[in-house]
């Protein structure tokens, strides 16, 4: 089943993001290579692709996992947690309806 993972950043977490980004992307690419990634990306602090020093407010990942517990464990193992970027994450089941 698909699950949406929404993680919220601590304020002023841009440096932590920069440091942990390669490991974060490696995990996402593994999901992609397995055909289990629908979409992933950051939420800019302002309506610009590059928010500059304002950074990001969080991230969204929609990926396929066997269970809610597996999705939660995957989310909790993200390098952004270890880098102190995230302050909270929410994982919920997701039905991909469109496009099909």
């Amino acid at each position: 089943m698909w699950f949406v993972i929404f993680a919220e950043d601590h304020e002023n977490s841009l440096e932590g993001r920069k440091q942990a980004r390669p490991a974060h992307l490696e995990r996402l690419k593994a999901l992609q290579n397995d055909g289990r990634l629908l979409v992933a990306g950051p939420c800019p602090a302002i309506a610009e692709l590059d928010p500059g020093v304002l950074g990001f407010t969080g991230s969204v990942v929609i990926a396929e996992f066997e269970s809610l517990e597996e999705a939660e464990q995957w989310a909790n193992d993200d390098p952004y947690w270890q880098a102190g970027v995230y302050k909270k994450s929410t994982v919920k089941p997701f039905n991909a309806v469109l496009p099909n």
Side-chain angles (χ1 to χ4, degrees):
M1 174 165 216
W2 294 106
F3 291 88
V4 61
I5 300 167
F6 178 70
E8 295 180 57
D9 285 16
H10 284 284
E11 289 188 32
N12 303 313
S13 60
L14 186 57
E15 285 307 311
R17 269 185 173 270
K18 288 178 181 178
Q19 292 175 6
R21 188 170 191 261
H24 172 77
L25 290 178
E26 185 177 316
R27 295 177 80 236
L28 290 170
K29 288 178 184 176
L31 285 177
Q32 182 180 27
N33 291 341
D34 290 343
R36 298 171 45 207
L37 182 65
L38 185 63
V39 67
C43 301
I46 58 173
E48 297 289 335
L49 291 177
D50 181 358
V53 297
L54 295 177
F56 301 90
T57 61
S59 302
V60 175
V61 175
I62 301 177
E64 191 173 30
F65 296 94
E66 290 291 321
S67 66
L68 176 62
E69 293 78 19
E70 182 185 346
E72 289 173 333
Q73 185 62 54
W74 189 92
N76 290 336
D77 290 341
D78 195 288
Y80 282 169
W81 277 110
Q82 286 76 38
V85 172
Y86 291 154
K87 67 178 177 182
K88 177 183 175 186
S89 68
T90 304
V91 181
K92 294 183 178 187
F94 178 78
N95 287 330
V97 175
L98 293 173
N100 55 14

